[in-house]
Amino acid sequence: MSRLQLEYFNNNEGIVSQKGAALTYRLYHELIQIEAWGKDSLRVRITQADKIRDDLPGALLSHEETGFKPATDAISITETGGSIRNGNIEARVTKKEGKLVFWDLKNNRELVREAQPHIWINGRVIRPLTGDSYKIEANFQAYDDEKFYGLGQHHHGKLNQKGCVIDLCQRNAHVTIPFLVSSRGYGFLWNNPAVGRVELGMGLTRWVADVAPQMDYWITAGDSVSDIMSNYVDATGHAPPLPYYASGFWQCRLRYKSQEEVLTVAREYKKRGLPLDIIVIDYFHWSHHGDWKFDSKFFPDPKAMVDELKEMNVEVMVSIWPTLQPDSENFEEMERRGLLLRNSRGPNVHHRFYDNPTLVEAKYITHYDATNPEGREFIWSKVKKNYHDLGIKIWWLDADEPEVEPVQPEMLRFHIGDGAAVYNISPMLHGMGFYKGMKEAGHEDGDIISLSRSGWAGSQRWGQAIWSGDITSTFETLAGQVRAGLNMGLSGIPWWTTDIGGFVEGNIYDETFRELIVRWFQYGAFCPLFRLHGFRDPMPEPQMGAANEVWVYGDEAYKILSNFLHIRERLRPYVMKQMDKAAKDGTPPMRPLFYDFESDAKSWDIEDEFLFGPSILVAPILKYKARSREVYLPAGAKWTNAWTDEVVDGGQTITVDAPLETLPLFLRDDAKLPIKA
C-alpha cells in the first residue's frame, strides 16, 4: 500500500458527538446530524457548509407542530462510532468514514445501509456548484428481494417500482412525491423539493438532487405498511375529513360553455333520478387567463346558477389556473408587485396557450409565484370575491405543476429559491394557499377540498385531492391507472381520482371507446373520488369537447353506468368511514392487497386488483372484450362474490365471469354491503 493510501486510511476518522438530542459526526468539511423525528423515525441532514440549516422548504412538520419531544438519553458514543435510537429504529455511524446503517431494533435486523458506489467514494456524494449549492447523491444498498411502492403518480404501469428510474420533476400527469414504502419494513422520505431522480436499481438505490443546500431525508420503521403510513402522516400532516359531497358523483367535461348549459345538465340528471353531487365548470369560463372571474357574456348571473344548483343539492367546482396573460386585469399589478414567477433571463413567459375571445390564437402566458405568500394571498382575494362569495367552495387547481414549456425548472426563479432547487414544492404551496383562504373565510375541515393536477409530500394536509392529469383513452392506460392510483395512496394521498374514460382520444360514437368508458366507470365507482371527465371527440368547436354525460354513450352503456351510479350512492356511508380512517391514521381507502394481507406472499405480486376499504376486493376489467378474468383471493379470509353470493376460500386464484354489466367484486368474510339493490 502506498504512503498516500496509508494516509487516507489512517486519517479518515471523524468526530462523533452529541448536540442536545442530536447525534453529530464531522469529518473534514462534512457534517452529519441525526435526530429523532416522530414515532420510530429519524431525520438525517448532511452538509458541507459550516452548519445545518433549519430554514429550508420541506415536508416535515416541526416538533412544535407535532408535539413530539425527542429524548436526550438515546445516544451512545463508543470508540468505534455512535448510535441514536428512537423507538424501534436505530441509526449507527462508524467513526471511520462515517458510514451509516439503519436498524430495526424490535426485530433485530438491518433495514437499509449506505452503499459505496466506489472504493474511494462513500455513500454520500456532495459536489459543490456555486455559492452554498451542491449536487447531492445518497446511495443505499440494493436488496434483491426488496419491493418499492409510493413515489407519487407515474405512467410506467408498475406497482412495484424496483428497477425503475423515477424523475423527481413535476409534469402534467407525473406527480412527484418523494416518499416510498419498502417491503423491508421502512418508509423513506427524500425531504428535498429539488429536481432530481431516484434510481431503484439492482446494484444501488440512489437519490439525486440536482441543486440543494444540504441533504435531508427521513426514515421510519414499522411492523406493517399501516404502521409506516401512520408514522408518515404524523410527520407530514394528516388529511382533513373528506366533505360528504365529495364522496358522491362528480360530473365533468371539457367544457360547459355557459351558465345555461351547466344548469341543463344538472336538471337532466335530477330528472332521470341519477345521483349528482358536484358539477364542474372547466377553463375558459373566464374572460382572460388571470382575471379569475366568470365571463359575463356566457355566465350572466352566476349567483343564480349556484343557488339553483344548491337547491338540487349539487355543488360547483370551478377551474382556477395559476396563469396570467398581459390582457388580464390583474397582470400589471402582479407584475409590478413582483408576484409573477420569474425567469433567470428574459421576460417572464412560461407557456403558449389559447385564450378568449377566439380560442384559436395561442398567446404567451406566465404563472404567478405560488411560493410567494403575497402571491397566494392575491390570487385567493380574487377567487374569494369572484367565486367563493357566490357560493362556490370547490377549487380545481389545474396546470399547477407549474406547467411550463419547455420543462426546464433551472430557468425559473421562485420567491424561495432557484427553480432547480425548489420547483417540486410549488403545487403543494399553491394548494396550501387555497386551504388557508377557506379557513379564513370561515370553513372548517370537512368542508374544504381542492382538486389539483400535482402535489408534493404533505399535500394531503391541505385538503388537496389529486387526479391523473391528461391521459389517453385506451385500455392500456386504464391498466396503468390502477397501479398509479395504488401508488398514490402509498404516497400519503388518500383523495385520488382519475379521468374516467381517459382525457383525450375518446370518440363518443366509437364502440371500442363505449366499452372502455363502461369498464373505466366500473373501476371509477370504487376509486376514492368518483369523477367523469374528458376532452371527447368529435369536437364541436375549438377548446370544447363532445358531450360526456352518462346518457350519451348509447342505451346499453347508459343502463350499466346508471347502475354503478346507484351502487356508489348506496356505498357512501362505507366510503365516508374509509375516509375518516384515512384522516385518522393515513390508511389509503384504495390500497394493494398486501396492505391488509402482508403475510400472504402472493398478495405482494398482485398489481391489477385492489381493496376498497377492508371489505371490498375489486378486480377491474382491463382488456377490450374481456368477459372473464383470473382473480387472486388473499389467504386468511373467505370471499363472497358480490353478484352471485358464492363463498370462496382465500389463498387461491379463480376464474370469474365478467359480462359487460359487471366487474369481479368480492366481499371479505361476513361483510354485508349494498352492492345489489
Side-chain angles (χ1 to χ4, degrees):
M1 186 176 291
S2 70
R3 180 178 61 82
L4 289 176
Q5 289 173 320
L6 282 170
E7 286 182 0
Y8 173 81
F9 282 108
N10 292 333
N11 292 285
N12 61 356
E13 290 191 352
I15 301 169
V16 184
S17 61
Q18 180 172 351
K19 180 182 177 182
L23 177 69
T24 66
Y25 176 90
R26 184 178 282 280
L27 177 61
Y28 304 122
H29 291 290
E30 183 182 66
L31 172 64
I32 304 174
Q33 182 170 299
I34 310 173
E35 302 162 85
W37 211 277
K39 181 184 177 184
D40 298 329
S41 307
L42 297 168
R43 183 183 187 182
V44 180
R45 287 180 283 182
I46 305 171
T47 185
Q48 287 190 356
D50 61 337
K51 63 180 181 179
I52 297 294
R53 290 179 59 180
D54 295 316
D55 61 339
L56 300 174
L60 292 173
L61 300 176
S62 67
H63 295 329
E64 290 75 20
E65 290 173 300
T66 64
F68 178 75
K69 296 181 179 180
T72 58
D73 61 351
I75 293 172
S76 175
I77 298 174
T78 67
E79 292 184 358
T80 58
S83 64
I84 178 172
R85 65 186 184 279
N86 180 29
N88 293 329
I89 193 171
E90 181 177 73
R92 302 170 183 174
V93 58
T94 61
K95 189 173 183 179
K96 192 171 185 176
E97 298 180 349
K99 295 179 180 179
L100 287 170
V101 61
F102 299 93
W103 205 260
D104 176 352
L105 293 175
K106 184 176 181 179
N107 298 296
N108 192 30
R109 62 186 181 89
E110 179 179 301
L111 290 171
V112 65
R113 68 169 56 240
E114 284 186 328
Q116 292 182 258
H118 185 271
I119 187 174
W120 304 113
I121 302 173
N122 70 20
R124 307 171 298 277
V125 181
I126 302 177
R127 299 185 176 94
L129 297 173
T130 58
D132 291 328
S133 294
Y134 306 87
K135 181 172 182 178
I136 290 173
E137 296 180 9
N139 298 286
F140 296 95
Q141 181 67 43
Y143 304 88
D144 290 344
D145 60 347
E146 188 168 18
K147 297 177 172 66
F148 293 116
Y149 307 94
L151 292 171
Q153 173 183 278
H154 304 281
H155 290 180
H156 44 52
K158 300 179 185 299
L159 180 58
N160 171 21
Q161 296 170 86
K162 177 74 169 181
C164 292
V165 175
I166 307 295
D167 287 339
L168 303 178
C169 182
Q170 308 288 12
R171 299 188 181 100
N172 183 351
H174 293 264
V175 180
T176 291
I177 299 177
F179 172 70
L180 63 75
V181 175
S182 166
S183 61
R184 289 178 61 84
Y186 69 90
F188 185 97
L189 170 67
W190 185 243
N191 189 37
N192 194 318
V195 173
R197 67 186 183 278
V198 55
E199 304 167 5
L200 305 173
M202 300 304 295
L204 288 173
T205 294
R206 174 181 289 141
W207 293 83
V208 179
D210 289 346
V211 181
Q214 65 189 24
M215 187 181 298
D216 189 348
Y217 62 85
W218 175 90
I219 184 169
T220 189
D223 279 344
S224 65
V225 179
S226 177
D227 289 342
I228 293 168
M229 294 306 301
S230 179
N231 293 347
Y232 173 72
V233 297
D234 282 350
T236 61
H238 288 246
L242 183 76
Y244 181 75
Y245 48 78
S247 68
F249 178 61
W250 305 36
Q251 171 61 46
C252 187
R253 63 174 277 203
L254 191 154
R255 59 189 170 90
Y256 295 121
K257 183 176 180 179
S258 68
Q259 172 177 327
E260 187 55 35
E261 191 172 12
V262 172
L263 290 171
T264 297
V265 169
R267 291 166 186 155
E268 184 65 20
Y269 267 95
K270 297 302 177 178
K271 177 182 176 182
R272 292 170 179 257
L274 298 175
L276 175 65
D277 292 271
I278 297 172
I279 194 164
V280 184
I281 301 174
D282 205 341
Y283 66 4
F284 299 128
H285 67 270
W286 55 66
S287 43
H288 294 296
H289 278 278
D291 281 354
W292 299 307
K293 66 179 183 181
F294 285 107
D295 184 342
S296 60
K297 179 179 178 181
F298 297 102
F299 293 84
D301 192 352
K303 179 67 164 63
M305 174 190 68
V306 172
D307 288 345
E308 181 176 341
L309 290 167
K310 285 184 178 293
E311 289 176 3
M312 292 186 270
N313 292 317
V314 176
E315 296 290 342
V316 176
M317 180 170 74
V318 66
S319 176
I320 307 290
W321 280 46
T323 50
L324 304 92
Q325 59 106 336
D327 292 333
S328 166
E329 62 186 38
N330 297 311
F331 185 89
E332 183 179 349
E333 180 179 357
M334 294 195 80
E335 183 179 47
R336 178 167 43 82
R337 292 176 56 185
L339 305 181
L340 300 181
L341 182 58
R342 295 174 292 153
N343 290 337
S344 59
R345 298 180 182 87
N348 300 328
V349 173
H350 304 124
H351 197 15
R352 290 186 78 236
F353 203 67
Y354 305 101
D355 202 6
N356 287 317
T358 65
L359 295 179
V360 295
E361 178 186 358
K363 299 185 178 183
Y364 289 109
I365 59 176
T366 186
H367 284 258
Y368 97 100
D369 187 348
T371 74
N372 188 331
E374 287 189 35
R376 296 194 296 268
E377 290 171 4
F378 185 93
I379 187 174
W380 171 253
S381 71
K382 300 301 178 181
V383 168
K384 181 180 184 302
K385 176 183 176 182
N386 297 323
Y387 299 111
H388 173 273
D389 292 352
L390 302 176
I392 297 173
K393 58 182 178 181
I394 312 174
W395 317 112
W396 188 2
L397 306 183
D398 208 341
D400 63 343
E401 291 82 12
E403 184 176 44
V404 296
E405 290 188 1
V407 183
Q408 295 176 348
E410 66 274 12
M411 291 294 294
L412 303 174
R413 294 294 180 267
F414 289 86
H415 177 74
I416 61 172
D418 291 348
V422 302
Y423 179 76
N424 288 325
I425 203 172
S426 182
M428 186 265 274
L429 296 177
H430 183 49
M432 181 184 76
F434 278 76
Y435 176 88
K436 289 187 173 181
M438 289 289 283
K439 281 280 194 174
E440 291 170 1
H443 295 268
E444 298 295 332
D445 288 342
D447 192 31
I448 301 175
I449 184 173
S450 62
L451 180 64
S452 176
R453 200 170 74 183
S454 193
W456 196 63
S459 278
Q460 73 280 352
R461 178 187 178 195
W462 307 114
Q464 279 183 283
I466 297 177
W467 94 97
S468 49
D470 296 351
I471 53 176
T472 55
S473 297
T474 66
F475 275 94
E476 182 181 17
T477 300
L478 171 57
Q481 288 292 285
V482 175
R483 281 82 166 178
L486 295 175
N487 274 320
M488 280 294 277
L490 294 176
S491 304
I493 305 296
W495 304 352
W496 181 83
T497 182
T498 178
D499 284 356
I500 291 178
F503 182 64
V504 292
E505 303 175 7
N507 190 306
I508 66 173
Y509 301 110
D510 180 79
E511 290 304 318
T512 301
F513 179 67
R514 287 185 169 186
E515 179 163 329
L516 176 66
I517 201 83
V518 166
R519 293 308 196 186
W520 210 315
F521 202 89
Q522 291 169 342
Y523 160 69
F526 298 94
C527 285
L529 303 180
F530 183 28
R531 171 178 159 272
L532 177 62
H533 181 54
F535 192 176
R536 304 291 184 237
D537 292 328
M539 290 172 52
E541 57 183 87
Q543 297 301 309
M544 188 169 181
N548 190 43
E549 293 71 45
V550 295
W551 51 81
V552 304
Y553 294 103
D555 292 342
E556 182 182 26
Y558 174 63
K559 183 178 179 181
I560 299 168
L561 303 187
S562 299
N563 184 39
F564 278 85
L565 277 173
H566 288 291
I567 290 173
R568 175 68 176 218
E569 186 68 16
R570 293 193 296 270
L571 287 174
R572 284 178 75 179
Y574 175 80
V575 173
M576 289 302 296
K577 185 176 180 180
Q578 309 319 311
M579 295 300 178
D580 288 344
K581 184 167 178 56
K584 180 181 179 182
D585 63 17
T587 299
M590 184 173 72
R591 50 191 186 260
L593 302 188
F594 65 74
Y595 197 97
D596 291 60
F597 296 93
E598 290 195 44
S599 62
D600 181 355
K602 175 72 172 176
S603 71
W604 291 82
D605 298 326
I606 303 299
E607 299 203 347
D608 59 353
E609 304 171 23
F610 61 93
L611 294 169
F612 188 52
S615 301
I616 304 177
L617 186 151
V618 185
I621 300 301
L622 306 174
K623 294 181 180 179
Y624 180 51
K625 289 190 174 180
R627 296 299 182 264
S628 67
R629 62 157 289 174
E630 290 190 342
V631 177
Y632 178 72
L633 302 172
K638 290 185 178 295
W639 299 92
T640 301
N641 186 313
W643 309 109
T644 67
D645 296 326
E646 178 188 5
V647 179
V648 184
D649 289 331
Q652 60 176 315
T653 299
I654 63 174
T655 299
V656 182
D657 290 338
L660 188 62
E661 293 78 15
T662 64
L663 81 168
L665 292 175
F666 287 84
L667 302 181
R668 179 178 175 180
D669 293 329
D670 298 323
K672 304 294 183 184
L673 291 169
I675 303 296
K676 294 184 289 187

